[in-house]
């Protein structure tokens, strides 16, 4: 199976939404809606939800998220789901961002892959490595 890569930019809008748990003992638990617009090799929109935990230590936090992406990847129409697992340890961040197995639809059925996110001068960029 051939691995391909596309890159581009995206905009993201996060907004707080009502959650069940709110945190205790200095930990703040939150829930956010996610709306993204991708341009470049992936021309798509996505919607999803994020759960996050902010600790009392500056720069230490964690989040998980699920977002469904619908649009066009390298000219192929369809959708897929991205799963996020992110941590920050006193400002050192780690992010795992994978395609959920068997979430690809239409021309993207069978898609697998992983995405990296970069922020440079306030602009969000993605590098998406995938197999189809």
């Amino acid at each position: 199976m051939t691995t391909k890569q596309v890159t581009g930019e995206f905009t993201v809008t996060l907004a707080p939404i009502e959650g069940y748990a709110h945190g205790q003992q200095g930990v703040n638990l939150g829930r956010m809606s996610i709306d993204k617009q991708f341009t470049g090799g992936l021309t798509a929109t996505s919607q999803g939800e994020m759960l996050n935990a902010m600790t009392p230590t500056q720069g230490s936090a964690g989040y998980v998220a699920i977002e469904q992406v619908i649009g066009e990847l390298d000219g192929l129409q369809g959708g897929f789901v991205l799963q996020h697992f992110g941590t920050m340890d006193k400002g050192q961040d780690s992010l795992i961002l994978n395609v959920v197995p068997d979430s690809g639809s239409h021309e993207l059925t069978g898609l697998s892959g992983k995405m990296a996110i970069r922020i440079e001068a306030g602009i969000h960029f993605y590098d998406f490595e995938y197999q189809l």
Side-chain angles (χ1 to χ4, degrees):
M1 192 176 291
T2 304
T3 298
K4 295 184 178 183
Q5 184 167 336
V6 295
T7 61
E9 295 181 22
F10 69 93
T11 58
V12 60
T13 302
L14 301 173
I17 55 178
E18 188 59 35
Y20 170 71
H22 299 285
Q24 299 178 48
Q25 301 175 348
V27 172
N28 181 29
L29 301 178
R31 185 175 171 201
M32 311 276 271
S33 63
I34 303 170
D35 290 284
K36 288 184 184 171
Q37 193 78 37
F38 294 89
T39 58
L42 174 63
T43 305
T45 59
S46 77
Q47 285 192 313
E49 291 190 22
M50 172 195 303
L51 298 175
N52 60 50
M54 306 295 285
T55 73
T57 302
Q58 181 70 27
S60 290
Y63 89 95
V64 293
I66 294 282
E67 65 179 302
Q68 185 175 28
V69 180
I70 305 289
E72 186 176 298
L73 173 63
D74 264 348
L76 300 173
Q77 298 287 326
F80 57 93
V81 176
L82 288 171
Q83 180 175 334
H84 303 231
F85 177 82
T87 56
M88 284 188 66
D89 184 354
K90 297 172 193 67
Q92 296 297 314
D93 62 340
S94 169
L95 178 60
I96 297 168
L97 188 47
N98 289 328
V99 173
V100 171
D102 299 313
S103 66
S105 64
H106 302 298
E107 292 179 304
L108 299 179
T109 298
L111 179 75
S112 63
K114 61 185 177 180
M115 186 177 282
I117 293 175
R118 299 176 281 120
I119 303 172
E120 298 171 5
I123 299 171
H124 289 76
F125 295 92
Y126 67 86
D127 301 302
F128 186 37
E129 187 177 284
Y130 71 93
Q131 298 84 34
L132 188 60

